[in-house]
């Protein structure tokens, strides 16, 4: 007996089972609803961002004649682009700020999080295709496969198949192949819907490496589902009845998909609490006024200023020393901000390391992280936005302060710039980073997922062979 | 007979390692949830105290400068010192007695305000949003999560085969030969199993409530009411399903599907419906409106000042007229408040409509009812955070009204006047108002449970 015979028998059973067809249709329906919700959200969010960015430019140009440093305090905003694939997986988009105020002297955190407006339902799940893939499809797999071996054993058909010459390996391959076929028959229409949504209806910020990301998502979910299918086959082979197999698998599903991610996040934040907002504000203020409170640094800067202009008194220089002072405050603060925000990033890393450690208990944790990363909706992509915004802030503030220094004359405080300067200030480019920038991080998560797949395969194979051998010696 | 059934069930539970594991897990997971919440509350309260201390210290310095100025009289302090425009009052959304049991929106929304005429309603919100979005997106494993999401699963795990095993083993007929109905057998077994589990979860809940001391007694009673109603719903749902379904794998499949529907799918659909029906006005558009207003105010501040002084010439005689820093800032903030009033009203309206929609939609899922009720009792619900922000804006207007004359005339206020300024404390909702909010949904849960039990008994008779 070959594996193909087993596959065709399983396919026949599935086709005749109206419950399986109803289950498929339900998943496809939920998926379609999730895609519609996801595309709608992404398009709305991106339209809001584009409108806000345009208004920010208009407001900036319309500020009228003003002292350039005053303009630096009014400043501009950088708005985070919403990636196309966030319609598939919104990841942490709702929980990360969408706008950064690029004001003089201060590096601000991002503000305006979408989740803030969601009300009491924010703590329930948000309907998205990724959520269906992460939570519902594994449950469907369990429902399809819990009887793979246990059912055959209970009905006595396992021994029957073996007497017809089906070796344990053939049976295992047959079960695996039929599980893969069932999965593919579900995933192919789903993938098609996702592709149509992404390429036709989605109006999110374009991702240059969209195809690569989609391939990555396909492989990630392929491995994820394979893990669940293998675990389901393995547990089914270990259990003597459908009942026990179903119970064990449901418990596993609950533990691995529902509890583990939330528990891991809670452990992470309990072990390494979120940055203290009051301390953060104090540090930011300390950095802001750091140069003003540091007479030594001021003296050194003054000496450099005098030397640069070949004068002995600041009043004799052709430019206003106060303009140079403003430049100095930024140059003094920038590395300190880098250092402080690096410390915060270390804290985030510590939290994420804790979560990664707990991936031992659940393949859903690395899958969630990998999926949101590939969709461009995770913290790494957010950090790229923050870094880009900060770079823009520094360039903008420097440009404004230099305008004051070089054009403001000896009494720059009275000098006013106009629209000619405002127009030269560049907009935040709002481009999406490429996947390659975070590749090592994602490779690590994918590695964890592959380890899970390897372990699940070995477990399923061992359990399947054991089941056949036990049946043979009965 | 019923006593015998209960005793037998207890004996079976004692001998079942799986059942003992489920009970142990219940105790440990619920205690962890309480502990994690307590740690969070301490961290959160420490931050709020730090905030208040910082503002108080700054204002004490401000006050001392003013006292010195009033005493000396002759030597005025520098222009910026002890100016009314620089007065700042802290306002915080403090932790309610049971906030550690349901962190809810408190982790997500602003909880610290700096009420000052030098700020508008956007800038008065103290800088926040330093949290890791990845961790934030997953949410917390607090007691409300445990009770709403995990407890039903444990109840299902412990009691889905309450009668199916007898059916498959063929011992059901033997059981029914005794003078007791099938419904009563199921009920006795179910209550024994779930009773133990609920007792352990209740014990953790009581420990959690005890962390709040006497302040937690009344809200604690409300919390227990919601806990019991929600648990009763699930026990009744299990009773209903096992009464109709004969095979245990079908029973567990049906119950897990019900759990997915009630705790995951329906809330997600409700969320999407609320978002679709009442989309929030763009916060980014709100920001743009505020910046446009600020721009306009700065551009026209001289004209605004002139216009004001035309109406109030008596205010043009203050000290320090050469520097209009605070006056200009005050005008700007006032204009921002006026110009953004329509979008703020639209945001409030959208929130109100969503809230009203949820008041109805919650009845499609007991999980929504339970979670909203837990958040409400713990003071971490969305409406509370919205009320906090609204009261913050009102506080700002009140402080502005008190100080407007002094700011516009560039004069200092006296120490006595300073002491008369109001403090702004946010009060959580009173327990009777919370009870009024949660009573009907909780009654709905109880009524649904009764119906499920009645239909379950009817199923058994068949």
């Amino acid at each position: 007996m070959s594996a193909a015979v087993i596959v065709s028998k399983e396919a026949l059973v599935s086709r005749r089972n109206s419950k399986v067809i109803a289950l498929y249709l339900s998943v496809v329906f939920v998926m379609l609803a999730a895609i519609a919700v996801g595309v709608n959200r992404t398009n709305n969010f991106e339209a809001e961002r584009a409108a806000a960015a345009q208004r920010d430019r208009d407001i900036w140009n319309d500020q009228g004649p003003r002292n350039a440093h005053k303009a630096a305090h009014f400043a501009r905003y950088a708005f985070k682009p919403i990636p196309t694939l966030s319609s598939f997986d919104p990841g942490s988009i709702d929980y990360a700020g969408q706008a950064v105020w690029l004001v003089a002297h201060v590096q601000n955190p991002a503000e305006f999080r979408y989740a803030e407006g969601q009300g009491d339902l924010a703590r329930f799940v948000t309907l998205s295709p990724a959520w269906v893939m992460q939570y519902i499809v594994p449950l469907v797999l369990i429902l399809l496969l819990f009887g793979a071996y246990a059912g055959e054993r209970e009905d006595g058909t396992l021994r029957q198949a073996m007497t017809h010459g089906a070796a344990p390996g053939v049976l295992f391959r047959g079960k695996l192949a039929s599980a893969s076929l069932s999965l593919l028959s579900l995933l192919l229409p789903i993938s098609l819907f996702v592709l149509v949504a992404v390429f036709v209806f989605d109006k999110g910020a374009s991702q240059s490496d969209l195809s690569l990301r989609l391939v990555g998502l396909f492989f990630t979910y392929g491995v994820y589902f394979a893990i669940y299918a293998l675990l389901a086959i393995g547990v089914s082979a270990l259990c003597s009845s459908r009942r026990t197999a179903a119970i064990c698998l449901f418990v596993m599903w609950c533990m691995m998909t529902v509890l583990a991610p939330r528990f891991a996040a809670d452990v992470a934040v309990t072990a390494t609490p979120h940055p203290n907002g009051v301390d953060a504000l104090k540090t930011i203020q300390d950095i802001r006024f750091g140069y003003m409170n540091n007479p030594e640094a001021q003296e050194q800067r003054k000496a450099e200023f005098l030397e640069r202009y070949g004068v002995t008194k600041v009043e004799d220089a052709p430019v206003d020393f106060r303009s140079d002072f403003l430049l100095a405050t930024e140059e003094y603060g920038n590395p300190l901000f880098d250092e402080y925000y690096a410390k915060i990033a270390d804290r985030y890393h510590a939290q994420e390391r804790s979560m990664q450690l707990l991936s031992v208990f659940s393949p859903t944790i690395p899958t969630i992280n990998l999926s949101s990363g590939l969709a461009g909706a995770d913290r790494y992509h957010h950090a790229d936005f923050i870094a880009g915004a900060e770079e823009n802030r520094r360039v903008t503030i420097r440009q404004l302060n230099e305008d004051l220094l070089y054009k403001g004359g000896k009494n720059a405080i009275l000098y006013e710039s106009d629209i000619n300067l405002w127009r030269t200030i560049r907009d935040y480019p709002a481009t999406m980073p490429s996947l390659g920038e975070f590749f090592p991080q994602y490779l690590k998560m994918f590695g964890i997922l592959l380890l899970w797949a390897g372990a699940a395969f070995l477990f399923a194979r061992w359990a399947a062979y054991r089941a056949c051998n036990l049946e043979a010696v009965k | 007979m019923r006593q015998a059934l209960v005793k037998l069930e207890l004996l079976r539970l004692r001998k079942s390692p799986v059942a003992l594991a489920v009970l142990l897990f219940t105790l440990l997971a619920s205690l962890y949830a309480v502990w994690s919440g307590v740690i969070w509350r301490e961290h959160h309260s420490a931050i709020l105290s730090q905030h208040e201390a910082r503002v108080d210290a700054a204002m004490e310095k401000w006050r001392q400068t003013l006292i010195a100025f009033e005493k000396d009289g002759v030597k005025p302090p520098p222009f910026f010192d002890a100016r009314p425009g620089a007065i700042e009052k802290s306002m915080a959304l403090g932790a309610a007695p049971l906030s550690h049991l349901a962190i809810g929106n408190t982790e997500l929304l602003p909880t610290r305000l700096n009420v000052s005429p030098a700020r508008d309603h956007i800038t008065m919100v103290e800088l926040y949003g330093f949290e890791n979005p990845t961790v934030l997106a997953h949410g917390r494993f607090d007691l409300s999560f445990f009770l709403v999401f995990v407890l039903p699963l444990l109840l299902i795990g412990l009691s889905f085969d309450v009668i199916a095993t007898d059916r498959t083993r063929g011992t059901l007929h033997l059981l029914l030969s005794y003078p007791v109905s099938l419904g009563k057998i199921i009920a006795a077994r179910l209550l024994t199993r779930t009773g133990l589990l609920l007792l352990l979860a209740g014990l953790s809940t009581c420990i959690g409530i005890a962390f709040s001391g006497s302040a937690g007694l009344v809200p604690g009673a409300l919390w227990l009411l919601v806990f019991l109603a929600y648990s009763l719903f699930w026990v009744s749902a299990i009773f209903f399903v096992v009464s109709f379904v004969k095979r245990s794998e079908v029973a567990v499949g049906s119950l897990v599907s019900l759990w997915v529907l009630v705790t995951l799918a329906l809330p997600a659909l409700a969320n999407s419906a609320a978002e679709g029906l009442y989309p929030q006005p763009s916060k980014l558009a709100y920001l743009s409106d505020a910046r446009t207003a600020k721009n306009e105010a700065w551009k026209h501040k001289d004209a605004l000042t002139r216009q004001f002084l035309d109406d109030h010439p008596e205010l043009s005689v203050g000290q320090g007229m050469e520097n209009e820093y605070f006056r200009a800032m005050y005008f700007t903030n006032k204009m921002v408040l006026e110009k953004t009033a329509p979008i703020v009203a639209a945001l409030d309206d959208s929130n109100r409509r969503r809230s009203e929609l949820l008041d109805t939609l919650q009845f499609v899922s007991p999980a929504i009812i339970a979670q909203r009720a837990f958040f409400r009792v713990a003071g971490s619900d969305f409406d509370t955070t919205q009320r906090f922000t609204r009261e913050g804006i009102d506080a700002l207007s009140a402080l502005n009204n008190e100080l407007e004359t002094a700011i516009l005339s560039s004069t200092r206020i006296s120490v006595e006047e300073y002491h008369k300024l109001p403090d702004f404390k946010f009060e959580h909702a009173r327990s009777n108002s919370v009870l009024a909010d949660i009573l009907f949904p909780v009654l709905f849960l109880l009524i649904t449970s009764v119906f499920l039990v009645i239909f379950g008994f009817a199923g058994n008779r068949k």
Side-chain angles (χ1 to χ4, degrees):
Chain A
M1 190 187 270
S2 71
V5 178
I6 296 164
V7 173
S8 64
K9 176 244 165 191
E10 296 282 338
L12 187 68
V13 172
S14 293
R15 271 203 305 276
R16 283 179 180 170
N17 191 344
S18 57
K19 283 178 192 157
V20 171
I21 295 166
L23 197 64
Y24 269 48
L25 289 176
S26 311
V27 174
V28 170
F29 171 75
V30 173
M31 194 66 183
L32 278 174
I35 289 172
V37 169
V39 168
N40 186 42
R41 291 183 99 229
T42 300
N43 291 354
N44 284 346
F45 289 175
E46 182 56 13
E48 277 179 15
R49 183 208 63 84
Q54 185 54 50
R55 275 194 73 185
D56 185 70
R57 163 51 75 186
D58 295 342
I59 293 166
W60 176 253
N61 284 350
D62 189 42
Q63 61 184 312
R66 186 183 258 186
N67 183 281
H69 191 70
K70 185 97 194 132
H73 276 267
F74 180 64
R76 299 198 61 187
Y77 268 83
F79 297 100
K80 186 175 161 181
I82 306 298
T84 290
L85 280 174
S86 71
S87 58
F88 173 79
D89 188 347
S92 55
I93 291 263
D94 286 4
Y95 293 86
Q98 300 305 307
V100 179
W101 191 25
L102 311 177
V103 69
H105 312 299
V106 175
Q107 180 178 352
N108 283 306
E111 52 191 330
F112 299 107
R113 300 182 284 207
Y114 288 120
E116 288 174 14
Q118 278 180 350
D120 286 336
L121 291 184
R123 282 302 171 207
F124 283 106
V125 293
T126 305
L127 189 63
S128 74
W131 174 75
V132 178
M133 304 282 260
Q134 288 156 11
Y135 290 80
I136 303 299
V137 176
L139 190 62
V140 171
L141 278 173
I142 287 171
L143 288 171
L144 289 176
L145 295 172
F146 75 93
Y149 274 88
E152 300 248 18
R153 192 190 259 172
E154 211 171 23
D155 299 342
T157 48
L158 183 62
R159 186 179 291 186
Q160 214 173 21
M162 289 172 74
T163 54
H164 281 83
V170 172
L171 267 171
F172 181 59
R173 279 197 296 279
K175 293 285 179 191
L176 260 188
S178 68
S180 309
L181 271 181
S182 310
L183 196 59
L184 273 180
S185 60
L186 182 65
L187 279 188
L188 281 178
I190 286 179
S191 306
L192 195 71
F193 295 145
V194 170
L195 288 177
V196 169
V198 164
F199 286 111
V200 180
F201 297 108
D202 211 308
K203 303 278 183 287
S206 67
Q207 290 162 301
S208 57
D209 47 5
L210 187 63
S211 309
L212 185 66
R213 287 172 184 272
L214 282 167
V215 170
L217 282 171
F218 191 81
F219 273 104
T220 301
Y221 282 103
V223 175
Y224 180 59
F225 297 146
I227 292 169
Y228 267 98
L230 286 163
L231 288 176
I233 290 174
V235 170
S236 177
L238 275 186
C239 296
S240 56
S241 64
R242 284 189 182 92
R243 172 185 170 270
T244 324
I247 296 156
C248 290
L249 285 166
F250 283 133
V251 169
M252 271 176 62
W253 175 81
C254 295
M255 294 295 235
M256 293 199 306
T257 61
V258 182
L259 297 190
R262 189 101 166 200
F263 180 69
D266 196 87
V267 168
V269 80
T270 305
T272 315
H274 290 306
N276 175 332
V278 176
D279 282 348
L281 183 64
K282 185 181 177 306
T283 310
I284 287 171
Q285 292 301 326
D286 286 348
I287 297 173
R288 178 185 175 169
F289 296 108
Y291 181 74
M292 295 169 212
N293 295 329
N294 188 339
E296 282 174 24
Q298 286 181 38
E299 278 306 312
Q300 195 185 334
R301 180 83 183 195
K302 189 176 172 184
E304 285 168 13
F305 180 84
L306 294 173
E307 193 185 331
R308 198 186 320 147
Y309 291 101
V311 291
T312 51
K313 285 192 294 181
V314 289
E315 293 80 15
D316 296 339
V319 296
D320 193 337
F321 178 62
R322 287 172 296 183
S323 305
D324 186 71
F325 182 90
L326 293 173
L327 271 169
T329 56
E330 298 294 336
E331 287 165 18
Y332 183 89
N334 289 345
L336 296 176
F337 278 121
D338 288 340
E339 198 182 317
Y340 178 65
Y341 278 98
K343 274 186 197 163
I344 290 187
D346 285 345
R347 196 172 265 257
Y348 296 161
H349 280 304
Q351 290 176 335
E352 284 152 13
R353 264 198 308 276
S354 304
M355 286 185 74
Q356 254 173 23
L357 277 177
L358 291 165
S359 299
V360 184
F361 298 110
S362 159
T364 310
I365 298 171
T367 304
I368 290 174
N369 293 337
L370 206 49
S371 172
S372 60
L374 289 165
D378 67 347
R379 190 184 68 79
Y380 294 114
H381 285 75
H382 182 68
D384 182 83
F385 158 66
I386 299 284
E390 177 58 10
E391 191 199 331
N392 216 50
R393 182 185 82 85
R394 291 180 188 183
V395 170
T396 302
I397 303 299
R398 183 167 189 88
Q399 199 179 338
L400 292 169
N401 283 338
E402 282 184 345
D403 187 76
L404 202 62
L405 179 70
Y406 298 124
K407 294 184 182 165
K410 288 197 165 197
N411 198 5
I413 210 160
L414 298 175
Y415 172 72
E416 285 189 334
S417 304
D418 57 20
I419 191 156
N420 292 319
L421 174 63
W422 314 146
R423 278 191 184 136
T424 62
I425 300 297
R426 70 172 185 180
D427 295 328
Y428 170 70
T431 50
M432 293 303 301
S434 74
L435 197 57
E437 290 178 37
F438 320 109
F439 202 65
Q441 297 297 335
Y442 299 149
L443 208 58
K444 211 188 296 176
M445 292 179 212
F446 199 67
I448 296 172
L449 213 54
L450 284 179
L451 279 176
W452 258 100
F457 177 79
L458 291 176
F459 163 70
R461 191 176 179 280
W462 166 79
Y465 274 68
R466 179 182 170 273
C468 290
N469 291 338
L470 282 177
E471 205 66 17
V473 297
K474 257 186 188 174
Chain B
M1 185 64 198
R2 205 172 294 167
Q3 272 185 342
L5 277 170
V6 171
K7 275 185 186 166
L8 184 67
E9 204 52 36
L10 284 172
L11 188 71
R12 280 169 68 174
L13 279 178
R14 266 214 311 272
K15 290 196 171 172
S16 162
V18 176
L20 290 177
V22 169
L23 292 173
L24 185 68
F25 178 81
T26 305
L27 187 66
L28 292 179
S30 54
L31 283 177
Y32 170 82
V34 170
W35 174 74
S36 164
V38 171
I39 299 274
W40 169 83
R41 191 174 71 172
E42 280 174 12
H43 182 67
H44 178 65
S45 300
I47 291 174
L48 295 187
S49 305
Q50 255 180 291
H51 167 242
E52 277 178 5
R54 182 188 64 74
V55 175
D56 288 351
M59 284 324 296
E60 181 55 23
K61 196 176 161 195
W62 184 97
R63 197 178 70 95
Q64 290 302 336
T65 312
L66 190 62
I67 289 171
F69 174 55
E70 277 190 3
K71 267 187 191 165
D72 294 350
V74 193
K75 194 177 144 196
F79 176 79
F80 282 96
D81 286 353
R83 283 283 166 190
I87 286 175
E88 195 163 74
K89 298 266 179 181
S90 67
M91 191 168 162
L93 176 55
L98 298 187
S99 62
H100 57 296
L101 302 185
I103 296 168
N105 291 291
T106 319
E107 199 177 37
L108 198 59
L109 289 156
T111 52
R112 302 185 305 275
L113 302 178
N114 298 311
V115 183
S116 165
R119 296 173 186 270
D120 59 44
H121 55 313
I122 297 176
T123 52
M124 78 171 175
V125 177
E126 191 165 280
L127 212 54
Y128 71 107
F130 290 94
E131 298 85 2
N132 182 347
T134 305
V135 179
L136 209 55
H138 279 92
R140 299 301 298 261
F141 196 100
D142 54 16
L143 196 67
S144 71
F145 172 75
F146 176 82
L147 296 178
V148 173
F149 290 85
V150 186
L151 189 72
L153 282 173
L154 295 168
L155 289 171
I156 292 169
L158 201 64
S159 43
F160 72 94
D161 61 346
V162 75
I163 200 69
T165 322
D166 289 288
R167 277 193 176 121
T168 44
R169 282 185 192 154
T171 50
L172 186 61
H173 289 294
L174 179 71
L175 256 180
L176 290 176
S177 64
Y178 292 103
V180 62
S181 69
L182 179 62
K184 282 183 180 163
I185 295 171
I186 297 177
R189 283 184 173 179
L190 194 61
L191 288 177
T192 312
R193 291 188 190 190
T194 56
L196 266 178
L197 197 139
L198 293 177
L199 207 65
L200 291 174
L203 179 72
S204 299
T205 305
C206 290
I207 292 172
I209 293 168
F211 273 101
S212 309
S214 57
L217 281 179
V218 180
L222 294 179
W223 181 282
L224 284 171
L225 176 71
V226 181
F227 162 62
L228 285 176
Y230 186 60
S231 306
L232 198 62
F233 165 78
W234 277 104
V235 174
S236 314
I238 295 168
F239 178 75
F240 177 79
V241 171
V242 297
S243 298
F244 279 91
V245 176
K246 288 185 177 157
R247 285 163 60 181
S248 51
E249 68 269 21
V250 182
V252 76
S254 310
L255 285 166
V256 171
S257 304
L258 180 70
W259 178 85
V260 170
L261 195 72
V262 166
T263 61
L264 301 178
L266 288 174
L269 287 172
N271 200 3
S272 301
E275 220 176 86
L277 288 171
Y278 300 113
Q280 272 227 325
S282 164
K283 283 265 178 83
L284 302 183
Y286 167 50
L287 173 73
S288 300
D289 281 0
R291 279 169 63 74
T292 306
K294 201 169 251 186
N295 219 4
E296 290 304 308
W298 272 106
K299 278 201 281 190
H300 302 117
K301 68 178 193 303
D302 293 339
L304 283 168
T305 309
R306 266 198 310 277
Q307 189 186 332
F308 184 85
L309 291 178
D310 283 347
D311 298 335
H312 299 278
E314 75 280 6
L315 296 179
S316 59
V317 291
Q319 315 147 19
M321 290 293 288
E322 72 283 0
N323 194 328
E324 292 183 346
Y325 174 80
F326 286 112
R327 183 149 57 186
M329 190 176 276
Y330 182 78
F331 273 130
T332 306
N333 293 336
K334 208 169 173 185
M335 193 168 212
V336 169
L337 270 169
E338 279 166 17
K339 295 275 179 184
T340 54
I343 198 160
V344 169
L347 276 166
D348 277 349
D349 189 51
S350 157
N351 287 333
R352 186 182 50 77
R353 280 167 184 267
R354 271 193 198 201
S355 205
E356 283 169 4
L357 181 69
L358 272 187
D359 287 343
T360 311
L361 277 183
Q362 65 180 337
F363 294 105
V364 301
S365 161
I368 303 181
I369 292 181
Q371 173 135 313
R372 288 187 91 206
F374 282 138
F375 283 6
R376 185 84 185 105
V377 174
S380 59
D381 58 313
F382 189 65
D383 288 346
T384 298
T385 52
Q386 291 302 297
R387 186 164 64 83
F388 170 67
T389 312
R390 271 199 307 275
E391 285 188 16
I393 294 173
D394 292 345
L396 183 61
S397 299
L399 191 65
N400 281 350
N401 286 341
E402 293 283 341
L403 297 171
E404 187 176 73
T405 309
I407 292 169
L408 295 178
S409 59
S410 285
T411 51
R412 289 191 171 82
I413 59 170
S414 66
V415 176
E416 199 187 333
E417 283 169 320
Y418 171 73
H419 286 156
K420 283 182 187 163
L421 288 176
D423 283 325
F424 304 110
K425 295 274 175 233
F426 178 77
E427 297 287 340
H428 279 280
R430 288 176 177 277
S431 294
N432 52 0
S433 135
V434 173
L435 178 65
D437 289 341
I438 66 169
L439 190 62
F440 187 59
V442 167
L443 276 176
F444 173 80
L445 281 184
L446 293 172
I447 292 166
T448 311
S449 307
V450 170
F451 274 109
L452 285 169
V453 171
I454 291 169
F455 286 127
F457 271 111
N460 281 319
R461 276 191 211 107
K462 280 182 191 171

